[in-house]
Amino acid sequence: MENYKIVRNTEKCIGCGVCAEKCPTRAFTRSKEKYYKLTIMGRTGKKNPRLGQDFLIWADEESIIKIIANTYKFTKEYIAKDAPGGKEHVGYIVDRVGFHEFKKWALDGVTLGDKVIVKENVYWDGINFNSVDNQ
């Protein structure tokens, strides 16, 4: 609180809008503009599950749509030629090719607004499983 006014903590705010919905005094209101967060490369499964990580936040809808279209192009270019059924999880492709190559493709031709925060690197942590560890 500053000068008897509620102040948003920008270091903790993720833009979800829950504060605006829950505030009993309506100190916060939602912006008329819509922003999105893009989380990438999470996957389920027994062999190698992992949580997705934020790639960018505060992006507009047009940018998100372009990034998704660019991800399809990236996948088509780099999918393993011997992928079973011609299918491979995008996360495995990014692991093999590298995050910076994916980022280059994903952001190709995308003009991001001033508010957008793009991760320089994405690191996956936590428990990893593979067939060697489980024997």
Side-chain angles (χ1 to χ4, degrees):
M1 192 177 282
E2 290 178 14
N3 296 326
Y4 303 101
K5 292 185 179 181
I6 302 293
V7 177
R8 188 181 317 258
N9 184 335
T10 56
E11 291 180 10
K12 293 183 179 180
C13 177
I14 61 169
C16 67
V18 171
C19 59
E21 292 175 355
K22 301 289 183 185
C23 184
T25 63
R26 298 196 181 254
F28 291 124
T29 58
R30 288 186 180 234
S31 169
K32 301 260 187 257
E33 299 169 336
K34 291 185 179 181
Y35 296 104
Y36 300 86
K37 172 172 73 170
L38 184 60
T39 301
I40 61 169
M41 307 315 149
R43 59 181 178 232
T44 60
K46 293 179 183 178
K47 183 178 178 188
N48 219 353
R50 69 177 176 207
L51 294 175
Q53 299 291 321
D54 290 347
F55 174 41
L56 53 86
I57 58 174
W58 301 106
D60 62 9
E61 183 176 5
E62 182 180 338
S63 297
I64 296 293
I65 291 169
K66 286 181 181 178
I67 291 168
I68 292 169
N70 287 345
T71 299
Y72 278 104
K73 293 175 190 174
F74 167 81
T75 302
K76 187 174 181 181
E77 177 70 21
Y78 288 110
I79 192 167
K81 304 303 179 213
D82 60 347
K87 297 178 182 178
E88 183 179 18
H89 192 287
V90 179
Y92 289 122
I93 300 171
V94 173
D95 290 347
R96 188 177 68 251
V97 175
F99 172 73
H100 290 283
E101 184 67 11
F102 164 75
K103 183 177 176 180
K104 180 179 80 174
W105 279 75
L107 297 178
D108 183 48
V110 177
T111 303
L112 298 171
D114 296 337
K115 292 184 179 186
V116 178
I117 299 170
V118 181
K119 292 288 182 88
E120 192 61 36
N121 289 299
V122 173
Y123 301 101
W124 285 277
D125 55 4
I127 299 170
N128 289 306
F129 299 96
N130 63 42
S131 58
V132 176
D133 291 341
N134 294 329
Q135 292 181 6

